[in-house]
Amino acid sequence: MTTHFRPPNLALSTIGLSLATFMQVLDTTIANVSLPTIAGNLGVSNNQSTWVITSFAVSMAISLPLTGFLTRRFGEVKLFTACTLLFALTSFMCGVSQSMGMLILFRALQGAVAGPMYPITQSLLIGIYPPAKRGMALALLAMVTVVAPIAGPILGGWITDNYSWPWIFFINVPIGIFASMVVANQLRAKVEKTERPKIDYVGLITLIIGVGALQIVLDKGNDEDWFNSTFIIVTSIISAVNIAIFLIWELTDKDPIVDLKLFRHRNFTAGTIALVLAYAAFFAIGLLVPLWLQRNLGYTSTWAGYATAPLGIIPVLLTFFVGKYATKVDLRLLASVAFIVMGVTCFMRADFYIGIDFYHVAMVQLWQGLGVALFFMPILTILLSDLQQNEIASGSGLATFLRTLGGSFSASITTLLWERRAVAHHEQLAEHINVFNPTSQAAMDRLGQGDAQAGASVINNMITQQGYQISFNEVFHVLGWVFIALVLVIWLAKPPFSAKAGPAAGGH
């Protein structure tokens, strides 16, 4: 039995790994609020500027499931160091881009190297921590996963307002160089057995085309009015055909590029389903609340950021306790409490109204943080618990890929539902408002101060606002029940839940 590998300085190694992951997760949201500025500076429409987000998401979605293959080929430490350095380089290139085409190209490359960073961090943390302290490592990673997307829009908005948009990319350069140097230095003695696996070209090509096309459909569907668009129909067919070929091929190939046979593990399957669905619902909340604050309540993007930020407070405060004590209780119980708290906060939002104050919005965000603090670490531990050490990078990559895809589906479905239901409610509410109804005629005259047309416009705006509000409440009612249903899913997993170190944890 090989001795367990320990870096010379565990704290420094953890800082290096966490910083790189924080930077990578931050970059999934930091550019969102800066898009109008970027579009203006580079002379393109707002619609074209959304490719800054789409290109990153597409490339990351493609590279995530390849993590296991790349790890076997190059080893975890080398792959992590290379990805982090390349992330810093592509970030710099994004900042110096002079045209939208150039920026989209470097964002795509940035997404491609970002993919493996999170799963490898997870695998390395499990590898360098003793079994008793692995919960702490995963709790820390969970906190980074929660706090970084919240910090992204606030930091992005602040940098764009006070400096200029390229700095949202330039800040990654020193962080990336520091993190890669620390990890390369601390883990250089880690023995890793690499192999030269045969490249599964059919799997690789169908994965790139299938997932790339699917991600484009999900990102662009709402803008293009879904299946009323030839572009969306054609892209969907291309995606469906390629994903079908990919699944059949990967399940029958001797050396697949993505190991779908990991789903033979019960805990991995139950944990991944719970993670994907819970993250999709969590992602929907993170998307809808700021949108609603800006559209319905008239908040600026910065104030919307402040109102949603309390979500990160409890996860930060509880990280140490969750990491230290979580393994002493049944993790399914902990995850169940998390889902119930998240469900209850969704039901609370289902009672929100247009006149609600900042304090109440922020307090619900704060309480949701309790659910978030107890959610990531137990689920990650459960889904990794029955994998061997040499399967952890593959399993983590696959679960993170499905989680990311779940977030994309969720973003598309949530915005579509919100918009469509708002239109339906607008129609219902406006049914009886017309010039032949004396009550509505009198209201129009009063609101328009004698000008019925101006009054009608005021009423129409009020109805639109109420339509969006009722729709918002309905979506949160559904999300609440999704979280409650997940309590049943997580109990499909079976103990024990300690992440395996395998027979040769130090150098597999």
Side-chain angles (χ1 to χ4, degrees):
M1 189 165 174
T2 325
T3 52
H4 204 74
F5 174 76
R6 283 283 160 277
N9 188 326
L10 189 60
L12 193 59
S13 306
T14 307
I15 289 167
L17 288 164
S18 304
L19 261 181
T21 304
F22 185 83
M23 166 183 77
Q24 182 255 310
V25 180
L26 184 79
D27 258 56
T28 56
T29 59
I30 197 167
N32 298 17
V33 290
S34 310
L35 289 185
T37 312
I38 294 171
N41 282 16
L42 297 178
V44 296
S45 69
N46 278 343
N47 215 12
Q48 286 171 292
S49 73
T50 57
W51 281 100
V52 172
I53 310 294
T54 305
S55 56
F56 183 86
V58 169
S59 293
M60 195 163 108
I62 292 166
S63 67
L64 263 168
L66 300 177
T67 304
F69 170 81
L70 293 169
T71 303
R72 283 160 59 202
R73 177 68 185 82
F74 301 107
E76 288 176 352
V77 179
K78 272 189 189 152
L79 184 60
F80 178 88
T81 310
C83 284
T84 310
L85 276 174
L86 286 169
F87 191 88
L89 174 66
T90 49
S91 295
F92 177 77
M93 296 310 293
C94 286
V96 296
S97 295
Q98 296 298 307
S99 68
M100 185 50 79
M102 195 174 161
L103 178 58
I104 289 167
L105 169 69
F106 288 118
R107 271 292 274 180
L109 292 172
Q110 189 190 33
V113 297
M117 287 168 68
Y118 181 87
I120 297 174
T121 301
Q122 212 167 27
S123 185
L124 285 172
L125 281 172
I126 288 172
I128 63 176
Y129 271 79
K133 291 194 173 165
R134 271 185 206 133
M136 182 69 79
L138 288 175
L140 180 76
L141 195 61
M143 182 191 74
V144 168
T145 314
V146 174
V147 175
I150 300 167
I154 298 171
L155 190 63
W158 185 79
I159 290 171
T160 307
D161 291 345
N162 291 286
Y163 298 96
S164 60
W165 69 262
W167 282 98
I168 63 177
F169 298 114
F170 291 152
I171 56 167
N172 292 337
V173 178
I175 297 172
I177 292 170
F178 172 78
S180 59
M181 293 306 162
V182 165
V183 173
N185 181 48
Q186 288 292 315
L187 305 187
R188 69 174 182 272
K190 187 174 190 286
V191 181
E192 295 194 289
K193 192 177 81 204
T194 55
E195 48 189 279
R196 295 186 79 94
K198 166 181 76 69
I199 296 178
D200 164 20
Y201 287 105
V202 175
L204 181 63
I205 291 163
T206 51
L207 172 79
I208 291 170
I209 299 171
V211 171
L214 175 62
Q215 190 72 41
I216 288 168
V217 167
L218 294 173
D219 267 25
K220 292 287 168 193
N222 281 315
D223 298 339
E224 303 281 341
D225 196 21
W226 291 101
F227 296 105
N228 293 323
S229 152
T230 312
F231 169 72
I232 292 293
I233 291 169
V234 171
T235 315
S236 300
I237 293 167
I238 291 169
S239 171
V241 170
N242 278 279
I243 288 174
I245 296 168
F246 169 77
L247 291 172
I248 295 163
W249 185 268
E250 294 302 281
L251 288 167
T252 52
D253 195 56
K254 275 210 309 288
D255 200 5
I257 201 155
V258 178
D259 189 3
L260 297 176
K261 295 186 182 74
L262 291 170
F263 286 108
R264 70 186 184 278
H265 298 294
R266 179 177 183 149
N267 288 355
F268 180 73
T269 305
T272 302
I273 292 169
L275 176 72
V276 171
L277 293 175
Y279 184 77
F282 171 66
F283 195 86
I285 299 167
L287 180 80
L288 205 51
V289 172
L291 269 177
W292 166 78
L293 285 169
Q294 289 173 73
R295 178 179 284 173
N296 264 32
L297 271 59
Y299 281 45
T300 62
S301 54
T302 307
W303 274 100
Y306 291 148
T308 51
L311 176 68
I313 295 171
I314 295 179
V316 171
L317 297 176
L318 285 189
T319 295
F320 173 77
F321 298 101
V322 171
K324 193 168 171 62
Y325 301 111
T327 46
K328 293 182 170 50
V329 295
D330 189 328
L331 291 177
R332 295 171 299 181
L333 200 62
L334 215 55
S336 300
V337 172
F339 293 147
I340 290 165
V341 170
M342 305 265 271
V344 168
T345 55
C346 285
F347 292 137
M348 288 164 84
R349 288 193 192 93
D351 288 332
F352 277 5
Y353 55 95
I354 287 171
I356 197 160
D357 58 12
F358 179 91
Y359 172 78
H360 282 90
V361 175
M363 282 310 287
V364 174
Q365 290 290 115
L366 181 74
W367 285 115
Q368 189 196 326
L370 176 63
V372 172
L374 302 175
F375 148 54
F376 276 102
M377 180 265 172
I379 299 283
L380 292 178
T381 309
I382 287 170
L383 78 85
L384 297 174
S385 64
D386 52 4
L387 301 183
Q388 297 302 323
Q389 174 71 22
N390 61 353
E391 291 178 320
I392 286 178
S394 288
S396 178
L398 188 53
T400 309
F401 160 67
L402 292 169
R403 189 196 81 184
T404 308
L405 215 53
S408 296
F409 267 103
S410 169
S412 295
I413 294 164
T414 309
T415 42
L416 179 71
L417 263 179
W418 191 39
E419 298 278 351
R420 293 275 161 98
R421 293 298 298 157
V423 170
H425 289 303
H426 186 286
E427 284 172 10
Q428 286 170 341
L429 293 168
E431 265 174 13
H432 304 293
I433 294 175
N434 56 62
V435 288
F436 305 111
N437 181 330
T439 313
S440 51
Q441 182 66 50
M444 285 181 213
D445 286 338
R446 192 165 66 252
L447 287 167
Q449 294 172 336
D451 183 346
Q453 206 166 359
S457 174
V458 172
I459 289 176
N460 186 55
N461 288 341
M462 287 162 72
I463 291 172
T464 301
Q465 216 179 5
Q466 289 295 345
Y468 274 109
Q469 185 59 54
I470 299 167
S471 177
F472 173 89
N473 295 1
E474 284 179 343
V475 170
F476 272 97
H477 202 76
V478 172
L479 289 173
W481 284 112
V482 169
F483 280 117
I484 301 300
L486 283 172
V487 174
L488 303 175
V489 175
I490 203 61
W491 285 88
L492 295 172
K494 283 272 179 280
F497 296 129
S498 56
K500 278 193 180 68
H508 56 276

